[in-house]
Amino acid sequence: MAVQTTAEQRSFSFLQVAIALQTLAIFFQAVTAGLLLSSSHGEVLHGVGARVMYGASMLYVLAAILAWRPGGRSPRPILYASGFLVLASVQVVLGIAHKPSLHVPLGVLMFGLSMLALGQVLYARMSERSGTRQ
């Protein structure tokens, strides 16, 4: 029984790390978007950040699958993670097409949703530790 708990905590921690990495990558994108206006290095940093953010979205999908599989939890986080991957794909396409009127609001939405997902996972973790989860 203790082995299962440890495995569940590890996979859950991996999910937390994946969501946190995705959130940080999206925040980095916001910072580098501002640098696009004031620096010649902004475009390079924003392009690298886009690749990292996309990779973080794929990592989030993997972490959600791994967290669901061993513990028998709800597959809902996989749906959320897949949704983020779709949004990241749309975001990349809009960025390449130079459509800032859609690219910027979608980035803000993605950051908000990523913060919400991170808060939800952290709250669930704290609830499990205190034994108040229903």
Side-chain angles (χ1 to χ4, degrees):
M1 188 83 168
V3 175
Q4 275 186 334
T5 304
T6 304
E8 287 176 17
Q9 286 177 351
R10 280 190 196 142
S11 64
F12 202 58
S13 295
F14 181 47
L15 184 61
Q16 287 176 337
V17 169
I19 295 173
L21 179 64
Q22 175 181 276
T23 304
L24 285 172
I26 294 171
F27 181 73
F28 180 78
Q29 285 302 95
V31 171
T32 59
L35 287 174
L36 279 169
L37 303 173
S38 63
S39 170
S40 62
H41 296 81
E43 187 175 354
V44 172
L45 288 173
H46 198 68
V48 169
R51 288 166 179 82
V52 171
M53 185 272 305
Y54 198 77
S57 295
M58 287 189 271
L59 184 67
Y60 179 26
V61 172
L62 177 64
I65 291 169
L66 292 175
W68 166 71
R69 220 35 202 156
R73 295 189 174 157
S74 170
R76 186 171 291 189
I78 298 171
L79 179 65
Y80 295 156
S82 299
F84 271 108
L85 189 57
V86 168
L87 289 176
S89 300
V90 170
Q91 187 72 335
V92 168
V93 169
L94 291 172
I96 290 171
H98 299 288
K99 301 283 185 184
S101 60
L102 298 172
H103 183 75
V104 172
L106 182 58
V108 171
L109 175 69
M110 286 176 65
F111 180 71
L113 290 174
S114 192
M115 285 293 294
L116 187 63
L118 180 60
Q120 187 178 23
V121 167
L122 292 176
Y123 177 76
R125 175 74 175 217
M126 288 175 32
S127 296
E128 283 179 0
R129 280 189 173 175
S130 65
T132 59
R133 190 167 186 192
Q134 296 177 3

